[in-house]
Amino acid sequence: MTARLTSYAHDGLTFDVVDEGPLDGPVVVLLHGFPERATSWRGVTERLHRHGLRTLAVDQRGYSRGARPRRRRDYRLPLLVGDVVALLERVGAPVHLVGHDWGAAVGWLLAARRPDLLLSWTAVSVPHPRAFVHAALTSSQGRRSWYFGFFSLPRLPERAARPGGALERGLRRSGMTDADIERFRTEVVADGALPGALAWYRALWLATGPAGRARVRVPTTLVWSDGDVAVARRGAELSAAYVDAPFRLAVLEGVSHWIPTHAPEPLAEAILDHAGRRTGQEEQA
C-alpha cells in the first residue's frame, strides 16, 4: 500500500483513517477506546514516525461519521473485529496492532482469530477477555466495572453527558484532564458519536459463543498502569496464561487509565520494542 489511506469501506459503512508517517515504513494500526477517537494517538504516533513507522489510526464503528448504524446488534464484537480485519486486508501485509480500552478488546479477539494478519499485538490497559472475567470474579474488577451496566441503559447515559454532568464528572475522576474533556465534548458528544460509542456496551449483552476463549499466538505486550480506576492489576497479571507466544507485561507507575494521551512516551517505547525499531537514539524526522 503506497498511497495514503483516508478512508475505507466495509459492511456498507465508511471508516475514517488518519494515515501518517513514512509511506514505505512498517505499518502500525491503532485502535482507540471509549470515549475517544483517533486523535488520542497523536502523542504516540509522533515518536513512531521518527523511528520510520507508518501509522494508521482508525475511527471505529459508531465514531466515524459514515459508520454509525442505529441498531444495537450492529455493534456486536465480531462485527467490530471484522471492521479492523477489512482494514488489515486492505493494507495487504502483516501489521503491528495496538489497541486501548475497547480497542484492546477488539485487538485481543482479532489476534486470536487472525494471527496471520499481525506481526505483533500491543494491548493497552485491558487484559485478555478470559483474564478479565476471571479477575471480575476474584478481585476488585467486578466492582470497578459497575459502569458497564450504567452505559447499557437506554437514554440515561446520553442525558448524563451534558457539560459538567455525571458522565464528565466520572471521566474526570478516572484521570481525564480539561483538554481530554474538551476533546470528548467536541469529538464525541457534539459530533454525534456518543450513541454509537455507547452501543458497544449495549451490544455486549448480545454476545454468543466463546468469543474470548481463543488463545493468542502472536508476540504480545500488555501495557497496564497502576493508576487505572477501571482495570484491576489481577487481569493484567493473568493475561500471560492465554498467550502461546512471547508475552510481556509493562506496568506504568502513577499513570491513569488514559495511557495514550497521558504516557505516550513509554507506550511508544513498548510498541517500538515489538517493531524492532527502538535504537536508543531517535532517527531524524
Side-chain angles (χ1 to χ4, degrees), residues 28-90:
V28 180
V29 171
L30 302 148
L31 308 177
H32 65 81
F34 175 91
E36 298 183 296
R37 295 175 70 164
T39 55
S40 63
W41 296 107
R42 285 174 179 165
V44 177
T45 57
E46 291 172 357
R47 179 168 178 78
L48 300 184
H49 299 157
R50 291 196 291 269
H51 283 264
L53 296 172
R54 180 180 181 180
T55 60
L56 302 180
V58 58
D59 277 341
Q60 298 187 83
R61 186 177 291 226
Y63 294 84
S64 287
R65 291 183 179 181
R68 295 176 181 172
R70 295 185 177 181
R71 301 178 305 181
R72 181 176 59 155
R73 65 176 180 266
D74 289 327
Y75 292 86
R76 289 169 293 167
L77 190 55
L79 299 179
L80 306 174
V81 173
D83 296 336
V84 183
V85 168
L87 173 59
L88 303 191
E89 291 178 339
R90 176 74 176 271

Side-chain angles (χ1 to χ4, degrees), residues 18 36 69 180 217 227:
V18 180
E36 298 183 296
D180 299 329
R217 301 181 303 279

